[in-house]
Amino acid sequence: MGSKGILLILAGVLVAYYVYSPIPYDIEERWKLMVTDSFFRSLSNLAEISELLGLKHYMGVMMFLTVAEEVVPASDDSVKVTDALFYDVPVVVYEPKRKTNGELNRAVIFIHGGGWCLGSARMGPYDLLSRRTAKELNAVVVSVDYRLAPAYHFPVQFDDVYNVVKYIVQDHLLSQYSVDVNRIAVSGDSAGGNLAAAVAQQLQEDPEVQVDLKAQVLLYPALQALDMNTPSYQQNEHMPILPKTLMVRFWSEYFTSDLSLFHAMMSNSHNSLESAHLLKFVNWSVFLPEIFRLKYNYTMPSRKSSDPSETISSITDPRASPLLVDDVKLQVLPKAYILTCEYDVLRDDGVMYATRLRRAGVQVTLEHFKDGFHGAMMLTTWPTSFEVGHRMVNSYIKWLDNNL
């Protein structure tokens, strides 16, 4: 064998070594996920180097994921698509063209994910999901393009989405789009699920809003920033697509660009005396069914001395961490569909919220995908799309059709 052959073999071994990652055997299409994850890891490594050299912020490089997926949403035979500004916030509106014999339309307000730092309503996967929702449900879909970190920190993202929802439920806008005021849902994935849950809560306390949402749909949502050591965070610390380091970076960047918070959250030492009384709401030894606790034992997150800073007040704000509201405020919420994945650091957030909502008397459908992983729904337009992602989308559409 010549030197070229040896070099080719070595190159192949190195590529295989880099692409390979330990994927649980429960996940189908494991090699496909390894290849997809190698792209994400490469981009993340490039972002870290760029930030270390002072060339570009970490999220600035990661934004490539958004830019590369952006499309120009256009009308087709079934759906009319228009760009609009609702309360000065950009949105994409999807209206079904099928006639309803005089019946008013259902409406879904969709909030994209991306860790409050990435993503856009104009990304291919979100455009496809909104378009399909509008067509199959004969519903008006409003997909929100809220502002992102690090240029804007909490509560800007929440405020943008909340203002859009308040704008939509005004009489003249409902009339313009022929929307039934009693059949409106708010929905979102990941960070969008966080915003959807927070909006549903805060609407109940707003005296200016006389409309009740029919449903809240939370797709593998992030719901609390107090405990970064739940069983799902431990089990899936190195899971592809959304490892713990990336999710914690999203959380910390949502609040501040000061990396000291990121390091504190990574070690679960970011709580203070101001947040200590809220830890009972995210105590997974109480709210997680036994099947999700696995081999892990609960340890209350450490609490440092008093921290009156704006950052800790943001972390404990229920608009950022919807799991932190008391049961009385949960009781008045609309019925919920919560989708969780076994191989996702955010799994336990969704499961705990489902438990607390049920105990508060709210109708909840918890759809748990034992072979699912974070982001699978939004990979359906990739060459390496996943069958489990298509099943998630189908389940989401079916539940909305039956419950909205």
Side-chain angles (χ1 to χ4, degrees):
M1 182 182 295
S3 59
K4 288 185 178 180
I6 294 174
L7 288 174
L8 284 174
I9 292 174
L10 288 175
V13 170
L14 288 173
V15 169
Y17 177 80
Y18 184 78
V19 170
Y20 177 81
S21 56
I23 306 294
Y25 282 94
D26 290 348
I27 295 178
E28 298 179 2
E29 305 171 299
R30 292 171 65 246
W31 275 103
K32 193 182 289 187
L33 182 54
M34 290 180 196
V35 172
T36 304
D37 181 56
S38 66
F39 168 75
F40 279 84
R41 281 188 287 113
S42 298
L43 187 63
S44 180
N45 292 338
L46 179 62
E48 290 175 352
I49 294 170
S50 176
E51 186 171 59
L52 186 63
L53 296 176
L55 300 177
K56 198 172 184 66
H57 189 281
Y58 178 86
M59 293 301 172
V61 177
M62 295 298 290
M63 195 66 182
F64 174 81
L65 293 169
T66 300
V67 175
E69 284 270 26
E70 281 191 340
V71 297
V72 179
S75 300
D76 58 30
D77 293 340
S78 303
V79 180
K80 176 185 176 182
V81 183
T82 55
D83 290 320
L85 286 176
F86 287 1
Y87 207 85
D88 294 328
V89 178
V91 300
V92 183
V93 182
Y94 299 80
E95 299 175 75
K97 292 183 178 180
R98 177 158 49 98
K99 303 300 181 183
T100 57
N101 297 321
E103 292 183 9
L104 295 175
N105 295 311
R106 298 180 279 189
V108 178
I109 304 164
F110 188 82
I111 310 163
H112 70 79
W116 310 277
C117 301
L118 311 174
S120 166
R122 291 165 176 78
M123 290 177 67
Y126 292 120
D127 173 65
L128 184 64
L129 182 63
S130 295
R131 192 179 299 274
R132 180 177 170 184
T133 304
K135 178 181 177 180
E136 296 191 18
L137 273 63
N138 215 48
V140 175
V141 178
V142 178
S143 192
V144 187
D145 248 344
Y146 54 90
R147 287 171 288 179
L148 302 173
Y152 301 95
H153 297 294
F154 174 83
V156 170
Q157 291 83 343
F158 170 83
D159 289 341
D160 280 357
V161 174
Y162 191 76
N163 288 333
V164 165
V165 175
K166 284 189 66 173
Y167 187 81
I168 289 172
V169 299
Q170 297 178 64
D171 290 340
H172 74 276
L173 206 67
L174 294 174
S175 176
Q176 177 183 340
Y177 292 103
S178 300
V179 168
D180 186 341
V181 68
N182 297 310
R183 304 179 77 186
I184 302 174
V186 63
S187 173
D189 71 308
S190 195
N194 166 282
L195 293 166
V199 164
Q201 291 179 1
Q202 297 304 313
L203 282 175
Q204 297 294 331
E205 301 183 18
D206 192 334
E208 297 180 359
V209 177
Q210 303 302 315
V211 175
D212 290 327
L213 294 174
K214 180 74 176 289
Q216 54 179 321
V217 182
L218 316 178
L219 310 171
Y220 34 74
L223 297 171
Q224 58 87 25
L226 294 191
D227 190 353
M228 302 290 103
N229 208 34
T230 62
S232 59
Y233 267 104
Q234 295 182 65
Q235 174 191 352
N236 301 302
E237 181 176 3
H238 303 293
M239 188 64 199
I241 311 300
L242 188 68
K244 178 179 178 178
T245 51
L246 181 56
M247 187 61 230
V248 171
R249 182 65 189 265
F250 281 145
W251 268 121
S252 65
E253 204 68 52
Y254 188 27
F255 301 122
T256 176
S257 290
D258 183 349
L259 287 178
S260 64
L261 177 61
F262 166 73
H263 295 300
M265 294 182 80
M266 279 298 296
S267 61
N268 216 30
S269 60
H270 58 292
N271 283 280
S272 69
L273 297 179
E274 284 76 16
S275 63
H277 70 289
L278 297 171
L279 290 172
K280 63 184 178 182
F281 294 127
V282 296
N283 185 335
W284 57 262
S285 69
V286 174
F287 299 120
L288 274 188
E290 189 71 34
I291 192 173
F292 295 107
R293 299 181 197 176
L294 305 173
K295 61 183 180 182
Y296 305 103
N297 296 314
Y298 179 74
T299 301
M300 182 177 288
S302 61
R303 290 146 291 168
K304 58 185 178 183
S305 59
S306 181
D307 181 1
S309 70
E310 183 178 335
T311 299
I312 195 63
S313 66
S314 296
I315 292 174
T316 58
D317 192 319
R319 293 174 300 169
S321 295
L323 256 174
L324 302 186
V325 300
D326 58 38
D327 292 346
V328 173
K329 294 181 180 179
L330 294 179
Q331 292 171 359
V332 296
L333 293 178
K335 59 184 171 182
Y337 173 87
I338 302 175
L339 185 153
T340 57
C341 300
E342 180 67 21
Y343 301 106
D344 179 7
V345 293
L346 299 178
R347 179 196 67 208
D348 296 343
D349 285 19
V351 175
M352 285 193 289
Y353 199 47
T355 300
R356 292 197 58 210
L357 286 172
R358 283 173 176 160
R359 292 183 182 182
V362 177
Q363 180 183 334
V364 180
T365 299
L366 175 62
E367 188 84 25
H368 182 66
F369 286 81
K370 293 183 178 180
D371 58 344
F373 56 90
H374 193 91
M377 284 183 71
M378 296 307 123
L379 292 172
T380 51
T381 60
W382 283 48
T384 54
S385 65
F386 296 85
E387 187 271 337
V388 66
H390 292 285
R391 281 193 280 119
M392 290 177 187
V393 172
N394 292 338
S395 175
Y396 165 74
I397 297 288
K398 181 179 179 180
W399 189 91
L400 276 173
D401 195 25
N402 292 334
N403 289 274
L404 184 58

